Amino acid sequence: MTNKPLTGVKVVDFTLFVAGPASAKMLADWGADVIKVEPLAGEPFRKTGLGQGIPCDDDFNPLWNYLNSNKRGITLDLKAVEGCAIMHKLLSQADVFVTNYQTGALERLGLDYETLEKQYPHLIWAQINGFGDIGPDKDNPGFDTIAFWGRSGAMIDQTEKGTTPIIPLIGFGDCTTGCSLTAGICAALYQKAKTGKGQKVMVALFAQAIWNLGTAFIETQFGGK
């Protein structure tokens, strides 16, 4: 990509697996300076390819590179004072914080929106989770198989009547939701350019699936099956 519209934008990428990394990858491809923060043992997705017969070597890891190329990286122990201090130095200089960790885990680390908004009012805080911020499922974990495919009905709607549900493609719902988060981040960057203020941007896997199925839901209201 020759045009880099996000050149100069600094992003702290505190994500794992697919949905969050996909969003940060798009920002990096569009020119943002993205620093991925991993635990000392490395992000779990570095080894996910092994279950699919994909190499996961340090010098050849196609699945990892697919979602994490064009990023810089650092490993931090965020339970240690030194690691926490480095993270906050990065956040103080960043425009965007991207995460798909569960909200409870972020609260324990002091990286939730309510905490960081007070410390860094310029920061755009962006999160993907399974089921949003409201309702009985808001604290439940949610990979795309359940939160995107299963709960929305998409998993069963793709099969013939009386047959078993499909096995969904790994990461399909994650990458779709990552695109929506990236769009929200770009809208927030546009507003920040005018006001200097950050804000919260959030997308849920379940909400993304409902949006994707919107035409089908409307059809059923008028007799469609």
Side-chain angles (χ1 to χ4, degrees):
M1 184 176 181
T2 56
N3 184 25
K4 302 286 185 178
L6 297 185
T7 298
V9 173
K10 296 183 178 181
V11 179
V12 174
D13 172 3
F14 187 53
T15 65
L16 67 168
F17 293 108
V18 180
S23 177
K25 173 67 164 60
M26 294 179 69
L27 298 174
D29 288 348
W30 294 347
D33 179 12
V34 178
I35 299 178
K36 184 176 177 75
V37 178
E38 298 182 61
L40 297 183
E43 200 254 280
F45 195 64
R46 285 184 176 274
K47 299 297 183 183
T48 297
L50 292 174
Q52 300 164 264
I54 301 172
C56 292
D57 301 328
D58 290 340
D59 58 351
F60 187 57
N61 194 333
L63 193 59
W64 166 262
N65 290 335
Y66 156 60
L67 294 170
N68 292 286
S69 60
N70 287 343
K71 303 176 184 178
R72 295 191 288 160
I74 188 172
T75 58
L76 296 176
D77 180 0
L78 294 179
K79 295 181 180 179
V81 174
E82 296 85 353
C84 188
I86 294 171
M87 180 62 142
H88 280 274
K89 183 177 181 179
L90 294 174
L91 291 171
S92 70
Q93 301 169 351
D95 299 291
V96 182
F97 174 68
V98 182
T99 187
N100 61 332
Y101 278 76
Q102 287 183 255
T103 301
L106 296 170
E107 289 173 347
R108 290 189 291 274
L109 292 169
L111 298 175
D112 55 293
Y113 173 73
E114 287 72 20
T115 299
L116 293 185
E117 188 272 337
K118 296 175 184 176
Q119 295 174 287
Y120 313 112
H122 69 281
L123 188 66
I124 295 167
W125 188 96
Q127 182 194 32
I128 289 175
N129 69 10
F131 300 100
D133 270 351
I134 301 170
D137 295 329
K138 67 182 182 65
D139 295 322
N140 290 349
F143 279 95
D144 70 338
T145 301
I146 298 301
F148 183 94
W149 286 99
R151 286 292 297 275
S152 71
M155 186 182 292
I156 195 66
D157 282 345
Q158 299 302 312
T159 62
E160 294 294 330
K161 185 176 181 180
T163 62
T164 58
I166 63 169
I167 299 174
L169 293 169
I170 181 173
F172 184 91
D174 287 324
C175 286
T176 302
T177 308
C179 289
S180 290
L181 188 71
T182 303
I185 290 169
C186 288
L189 284 168
Y190 177 75
Q191 186 176 51
K192 181 184 174 181
K194 297 190 293 183
T195 66
K197 296 181 180 180
Q199 60 182 290
K200 180 178 181 179
V201 180
M202 186 178 176
V203 181
L205 289 163
F206 177 62
Q208 179 69 48
I210 297 300
W211 167 256
N212 288 8
L213 292 167
T215 55
F217 291 145
I218 293 171
E219 182 186 1
T220 62
Q221 298 177 56
F222 298 93
K225 295 183 181 180

